[in-house]
Amino acid sequence: MLKKLLRSSRVAATPTFAPATGTRIYAVGDIHGCRDELERLLAMIDADDARRAPAETTLIFLGDLVDRGPDSAGVVERLLTLSQQRPRVRFLKGNHEELFLHALDGAKDALRMFCRVGGKETVLSYGIDRADYDSLDYPQLAERLAALVPPAHRSFLEGFEDMIVSGDYAFVHAGVRPELPLDEQKPSDLRWIRDSFLGYRGALPKMIVHGHTITPEVDRRANRIGVDTGAYASGKLTALGIEDRETWILNT
């Protein structure tokens, strides 16, 4: 799966885009249960932010906090706490959060797919051991998972946004449908789209910053910037810094 998703990175020309005036943004790529990498990156962001002139600093998490990595429960708890302690922290709902929430609602097909795409690691992180996991059928697993996931975690994930716009930038999890204005985008496309967005070479309404598709390095194109560097497989969790017409990269 990782090999299938890897795409080569390309470097674009000097950006001519800017976020809202006075704003500094750190856009964090897909975390996928990598709590240790998250802690390191948050420390790097704080140090980088402190070195720069005062600004209205916003952290945007591009979605897919959960699945695949070893500690999804810890990642959700850490970021829930961060959202309570720090102003201007925002979260986009990824396709993995969507599946997780549907699984918690008892949707059998969603639970099956959730488990196939890394949800097993999420289930284990909430306290079900491997032997129990292997012994449970899907209805039993749904019941156990719903009992183990704290209501605060569920409410937190349910409150994630579909799109965030700042100046010339729009932040989404997966991408946008190129032929549609931003205000007509479907949440399913924002969370799941891939080839029709990634292969599009024309202008888009904003510079789109996204995760969802793994690349070895930040994937800079004329109309989009991909920030998913496959933390669960590579150990590299990445943030894209944006201020005025400057962008820069921090990663673990």
Side-chain angles (χ1 to χ4, degrees), residues 48-107:
D48 184 79
D49 193 38
R51 284 194 295 267
R52 298 175 182 270
E56 185 176 278
T57 298
T58 299
L59 273 61
I60 297 176
F61 292 85
L62 297 175
D64 284 4
L65 276 55
V66 300
D67 298 349
R68 295 178 174 159
D71 193 8
S72 291
V75 167
V76 174
E77 180 64 26
R78 178 69 173 91
L79 293 178
L80 170 58
T81 301
L82 183 71
S83 72
Q84 295 167 337
Q85 295 175 338
R86 178 172 182 159
R88 297 185 294 276
V89 180
R90 301 176 71 175
F91 301 88
L92 292 165
K93 186 179 291 182
N95 57 310
H96 286 261
E97 280 81 43
E98 180 181 272
L99 284 172
F100 188 23
L101 290 169
H102 286 326
L104 288 172
D105 285 337

Side-chain angles (χ1 to χ4, degrees), residues 60-163:
I60 297 176
F61 292 85
L62 297 175
D64 284 4
L65 276 55
V66 300
D67 298 349
R68 295 178 174 159
D71 193 8
S72 291
V75 167
V76 174
E77 180 64 26
R78 178 69 173 91
L79 293 178
L80 170 58
T81 301
L82 183 71
S83 72
Q84 295 167 337
Q85 295 175 338
R86 178 172 182 159
R88 297 185 294 276
V89 180
R90 301 176 71 175
F91 301 88
L92 292 165
K93 186 179 291 182
N95 57 310
H96 286 261
E97 280 81 43
E98 180 181 272
L99 284 172
F100 188 23
L101 290 169
H102 286 326
L104 288 172
D105 285 337
K108 191 173 181 180
D109 289 344
L111 181 58
R112 282 199 186 98
M113 186 172 181
F114 170 69
C115 292
R116 286 201 305 268
V117 298
K120 177 179 180 178
E121 288 75 17
T122 298
V123 173
L124 297 177
S125 77
Y126 277 99
I128 297 178
D129 65 33
R130 291 181 183 274
D132 280 349
Y133 178 91
D134 292 337
S135 71
L136 298 173
D137 61 22
Y138 283 117
Q140 292 170 328
L141 180 59
E143 184 176 346
R144 288 285 300 278
L145 187 60
L148 285 169
V149 175
H153 283 202
R154 186 169 181 167
S155 177
F156 176 53
L157 297 174
E158 287 173 342
F160 286 8
E161 301 176 73
D162 293 327
M163 180 188 299

Side-chain angles (χ1 to χ4, degrees), residues 205-226:
K206 303 280 185 180
M207 171 61 78
I208 305 297
V209 179
H210 65 94
H212 188 58
T213 297
I214 296 170
T215 53
E217 307 292 340
V218 170
D219 189 11
R220 294 180 181 269
R221 307 289 174 127
N223 55 7
R224 63 176 181 84
I225 306 174

